[in-house]
Amino acid sequence: MDRGAIAIWEPNHIRSAAIETDSGARIAMPQSSAARFELGAPPSATTPEELLAAAYAGCFTMTFAEQLTASGYSASRLHTEVRVQLVRPGGHWEIPSIRIHCSAIVPGIEEHEFLAIAHAARNGGPIAQALRAEITLTVSLDPGGLVASRGWHVPEQGPGDIAPVAR
Amino acid sequence: MDRGAIAIWEPNHIRSAAIETDSGARIAMPQSSAARFELGAPPSATTPEELLAAAYAGCFTMTFAEQLTASGYSASRLHTEVRVQLVRPGGHWEIPSIRIHCSAIVPGIEEHEFLAIAHAARNGGPIAQALRAEITLTVSLDPGGLVASRGWHVPEQGPGDIAPVAR
């Protein structure tokens, strides 16, 4: 099976740059590199890099939620932010790395179980596996109430290497 | 700089699965693997694979349009379809390959110039460079009117290997 999208570029028409997906979503596309890569202000339209961030944020969140469920836990909230880095070392824009942070509320889970499942979810989804860019994952477990959440950096190598991070 | 998106998963809330991007786009996310990977009918919400297809369709189209302009041509229409393949060889969904086809109307361009620019655009954008999955690109040049368009397969290796395809 497959999933797809169509981009249409017609500079002489009013709706000149748009993307439409299988499910019927219509997404405005920037018409110039200036609008796509402008520094500072948010872009005027959704950019390809934003869509990649959205794809991976959705994929990781679904994968993590399902692996928590499969382990007998039910997340009451997962909040995942993905930042796609853009650099232009030789005049061309490149994506050297992608940062992802997920803060979670998972009633009843122990830290070591949470981290083991986060590690399994790290590269478990199809989007992560399709990416060549370096991925940096941090997670935090929010106990709720007034207790501060705790955070960890989850490397690719193994759950044994997971290190706490100050957030 | 970076571009980003946030996915929120709250099963006990009404808007329980959503993605929001820097530019303010709000995207519904499927709540289960069934909705994401169901066979046959289009998905009920935009899936991560659709978003990846949209990201790459937008990136290739912008890159191709700009490289045509840089070579002195002005595309009057680019229509790019991306299909993200999904297979489940060992129980886990994977993306082995991505197919992309761009049909173009570019007044005054010769076939060999069109193919050389298509080859340059093939891996010229940040999204293509961030992907590990195999990419299959075909392009066609539509002369307009009643004349049939011609199509080619554009491999990664070099413009000399570009082969016509029947479409």
Side-chain angles (χ1 to χ4, degrees):
Chain A
M1 67 172 296
D2 61 7
R3 293 284 182 231
I6 292 173
I8 295 173
W9 178 272
E10 290 176 309
N12 299 326
H13 288 65
I14 294 173
R15 275 192 64 82
S16 60
I19 304 170
E20 185 170 338
T21 70
D22 283 358
S23 67
R26 289 169 179 274
I27 301 161
M29 185 165 74
Q31 294 190 55
S32 68
S33 284
R36 179 175 176 187
F37 297 122
E38 68 184 359
L39 301 172
S44 57
T46 309
T47 67
E49 289 69 32
E50 268 197 16
L51 291 168
L52 178 63
Y56 184 37
C59 184
F60 176 84
T61 306
M62 293 179 69
T63 302
F64 199 15
E66 291 188 355
Q67 295 194 357
L68 286 165
T69 302
S71 301
Y73 299 99
S74 179
S76 55
R77 186 168 199 266
L78 298 177
H79 179 284
T80 306
E81 178 162 12
V82 169
R83 307 299 309 174
V84 170
Q85 310 295 313
L86 277 162
V87 297
R88 189 166 51 172
H92 295 283
W93 288 100
E94 293 175 12
I95 299 170
S97 64
I98 297 174
R99 288 186 295 120
I100 173 167
H101 177 72
C102 180
S103 56
I105 301 176
V106 188
I109 200 167
E110 297 288 333
E111 283 179 2
H112 71 276
E113 290 175 293
F114 175 72
L115 291 175
I117 298 167
H119 183 266
R122 188 188 189 289
N123 296 315
I127 302 295
Q129 291 184 1
L131 291 173
R132 189 195 302 272
E134 181 185 307
I135 294 171
T136 302
L137 170 64
T138 53
V139 293
S140 62
L141 186 57
D142 185 350
L146 296 176
V147 185
S149 66
R150 290 199 59 195
W152 297 268
H153 172 68
V154 184
E156 191 169 359
Q157 288 70 30
D161 302 326
I162 295 174
V165 291
R167 289 191 64 86
Chain B
M1 68 173 294
D2 62 7
R3 293 284 183 231
I6 292 173
I8 295 174
W9 178 273
E10 290 177 307
N12 299 326
H13 289 64
I14 293 172
R15 275 191 64 82
S16 59
I19 304 171
E20 186 171 337
T21 70
D22 283 358
S23 68
R26 290 169 178 274
I27 301 161
M29 185 164 75
Q31 295 189 54
S32 68
S33 284
R36 178 175 177 187
F37 297 123
E38 68 185 359
L39 301 172
S44 57
T46 309
T47 67
E49 289 70 32
E50 268 196 17
L51 291 168
L52 178 63
Y56 184 38
C59 183
F60 176 84
T61 306
M62 293 179 68
T63 303
F64 199 16
E66 291 189 355
Q67 296 195 356
L68 285 165
T69 301
S71 302
Y73 298 99
S74 179
S76 55
R77 186 168 199 265
L78 297 177
H79 179 284
T80 306
E81 178 162 12
V82 170
R83 307 298 309 173
V84 169
Q85 309 295 311
L86 278 161
V87 298
R88 189 166 49 174
H92 295 282
W93 287 100
E94 293 175 13
I95 299 170
S97 64
I98 298 174
R99 287 187 296 121
I100 173 167
H101 178 72
C102 180
S103 55
I105 301 177
V106 187
I109 200 166
E110 296 288 334
E111 283 180 1
H112 71 276
E113 289 174 294
F114 176 72
L115 291 175
I117 297 168
H119 183 266
R122 189 189 188 288
N123 296 315
I127 302 294
Q129 292 185 1
L131 290 173
R132 189 195 302 273
E134 182 185 306
I135 294 172
T136 302
L137 170 65
T138 53
V139 293
S140 62
L141 187 58
D142 186 350
L146 295 175
V147 185
S149 65
R150 291 197 60 195
W152 297 269
H153 172 68
V154 183
E156 190 168 0
Q157 289 71 32
D161 302 326
I162 295 175
V165 292
R167 288 191 63 86

